[in-house]
Amino acid sequence: MDPSIIVMVVVVAALAFDFTNGFHDTANAMATSIATGALRPKAAVAISAVLNLAGAFLSVEVAKTISGGIVDEARITPVVVFAGLVAAIIWNLLTWLFGLPSSSSHALFGGLIGATWVASGAGAVHFGKIVEKVLLPAVASPVIAGVVAMAGTFLVYRITAAVRQDVVSRSFKTAQALSGSLVSLAHGTNDAQKTMGVITLTLISSGALAAGSAPPLWVILSAGVAIAAGTYFGGWRIVQTMGKKITDIQTQQGFAAQTSAAVTILASSHLGFALSTTHVSSGGIIGSGLARDARGVRWNVAGRMALAWLLTLPAAGLVGALAALVARQGAVGTVLVGAAGVAVALVIYLRSRRRPVTADNVNETDGPSEPEQPPVAVAA
């Protein structure tokens, strides 16, 4: 296959992944605002999409980490990157089907690591960088966001304890709209860069760019547009899980959770840590629920999420490794991998139509909500 053709195929696959990343992670920014009624569902995703696009232009540090830090760009080919992307897309779609807010970032890293390991050996994978830039942030970021959200929620409830609830709710709906917008901007600075890094890695591995190059402007623009389009698509299944199924969220909690997530994501983007915005946002929601009343957190849902987090990297790595084994057989192998990816995506989409979740029913759940619990801070 002509090298220029495979590069174009990889760029298209990377933008397809970016699109799935957008609708998979819409919930990170706007689930709590939608759940509390601070923003209407369609307005929320429109605002988030615009700010995701804007955020893509604020930094390229995470993109540099991926294009030159995770794997050895001199020892892989665009075909290897393609195999990793197919694995990441499949995992994103599968977890979306089940409404699980897993990490698109870790799906991408897992796919790339598995494909690179099979194609070029373990020596082509920078395990030290993975521990420093991926695994440690994966463990620390949800804890940090959760602790910050817990402290913020407690303080907010203490400060507003003597204020009428209708006044508090109205005021914090406005604050939530602002904090959700900040998370969307932060999300663009972190997650859009991952696709920029993958495309840049492809261009470096094909010889189109020198090693260590920053993403060209067209890469930044296309990645920003793709993730914004995916964000506008909605990803309502995961919005429903994060907004309604982890804990019953009031406006004060939503504000605290979103603010803690935004601060954590922006700080990590500045430092070049390719963390999971899903882990951060979920940690913030759980932390806010704990501050209000630990009994209000649905630990069975949190447990399923944690299991998905643990499985994402190895599962995507295994699929990436299998895809690389097939794709390395030549043009026919590459076509087979692409066809298999499209077929799996189609099956998942058709399955999702059996129980559609849309902007109209996103705030509904399959079963009754747990009883409303009084805020701990108020009771104190």
Side-chain angles (χ1 to χ4, degrees):
M1 184 180 292
D2 189 319
S4 61
I5 294 177
I6 188 59
V7 168
M8 286 189 289
V9 169
V10 174
V11 169
V12 171
L15 295 177
F17 165 78
D18 207 21
F19 182 86
T20 68
N21 191 351
F23 75 73
H24 201 281
D25 288 5
T26 305
N28 297 346
M30 291 300 181
T32 60
S33 294
I34 293 171
T36 62
L39 289 169
R40 294 183 182 276
K42 291 184 178 179
V45 296
I47 293 170
S48 188
V50 171
L51 290 171
N52 261 313
L53 176 58
F57 290 89
L58 296 184
S59 171
V60 293
E61 294 305 315
V62 173
K64 290 179 180 177
T65 295
I66 294 172
S67 64
I70 303 299
V71 297
D72 188 344
E73 68 268 26
R75 297 176 61 181
I76 64 171
T77 65
V79 170
V80 173
V81 179
F82 177 67
L85 283 167
V86 170
I89 291 170
I90 289 174
W91 185 258
N92 268 359
L93 293 175
L94 189 63
T95 49
W96 162 77
L97 176 65
F98 292 104
L100 289 172
S102 68
S103 171
S104 298
S105 306
H106 288 190
L108 176 60
F109 301 148
L112 286 175
I113 291 167
T116 300
W117 200 331
V118 164
S120 304
V125 181
H126 297 158
F127 290 103
K129 282 289 185 182
I130 291 170
V131 171
E132 175 191 353
K133 297 288 190 178
V134 179
L135 296 183
L136 289 179
V139 174
S141 58
V143 175
I144 292 171
V147 170
V148 173
M150 190 184 305
T153 301
F154 184 82
L155 287 173
V156 165
Y157 274 120
R158 294 288 287 185
I159 292 168
T160 61
V163 183
R164 287 201 340 256
Q165 183 58 40
D166 60 327
V167 175
V168 172
S169 179
R170 187 166 55 250
S171 300
F172 274 93
K173 280 184 178 180
T174 301
Q176 255 200 293
L178 295 173
S179 60
S181 298
L182 184 59
V183 177
S184 297
L185 187 69
H187 184 266
T189 68
N190 199 283
D191 278 47
Q193 287 190 60
K194 290 157 190 169
T195 297
M196 296 178 207
V198 168
I199 295 176
T200 304
L201 177 63
T202 302
L203 296 174
I204 291 172
S205 67
S206 68
L209 286 178
S213 296
L217 178 60
W218 71 267
V219 173
I220 297 173
L221 179 61
S222 59
V225 169
I227 201 168
T231 300
Y232 186 71
F233 188 80
W236 303 112
R237 292 172 179 273
I238 299 175
V239 172
Q240 185 182 69
T241 297
M242 292 184 71
K244 304 299 290 186
K245 295 184 178 181
I246 298 176
T247 186
D248 294 318
I249 298 173
Q250 292 187 338
T251 53
Q252 302 97 306
Q253 288 172 270
F255 171 74
Q258 289 171 329
T259 302
S260 68
V263 170
T264 305
I265 295 167
L266 286 170
S268 298
S269 297
H270 177 70
L271 296 171
F273 291 128
L275 54 69
S276 166
T277 54
T278 301
H279 292 185
V280 172
S281 297
S282 300
I285 291 172
I286 292 172
S288 70
L290 286 172
R292 186 176 168 211
D293 193 319
R295 294 169 297 176
V297 177
R298 299 180 182 96
W299 294 108
N300 59 331
V301 177
R304 289 197 296 271
M305 288 166 44
L307 180 61
W309 294 357
L310 289 173
L311 290 176
T312 295
L313 202 67
L318 179 60
V319 177
L322 293 174
L325 282 173
V326 176
R328 68 189 300 188
Q329 303 306 315
V332 174
T334 303
V335 171
L336 284 174
V337 168
V342 171
V344 171
L346 181 60
V347 169
I348 291 173
Y349 172 75
L350 293 175
R351 176 70 183 274
S352 74
R353 304 315 301 161
R354 297 181 184 179
R355 191 187 68 84
V357 180
T358 67
D360 297 323
N361 65 359
V362 68
N363 279 336
E364 300 172 8
T365 55
D366 295 331
S369 297
E370 294 186 6
E372 191 81 3
Q373 300 290 343
V376 167
V378 174

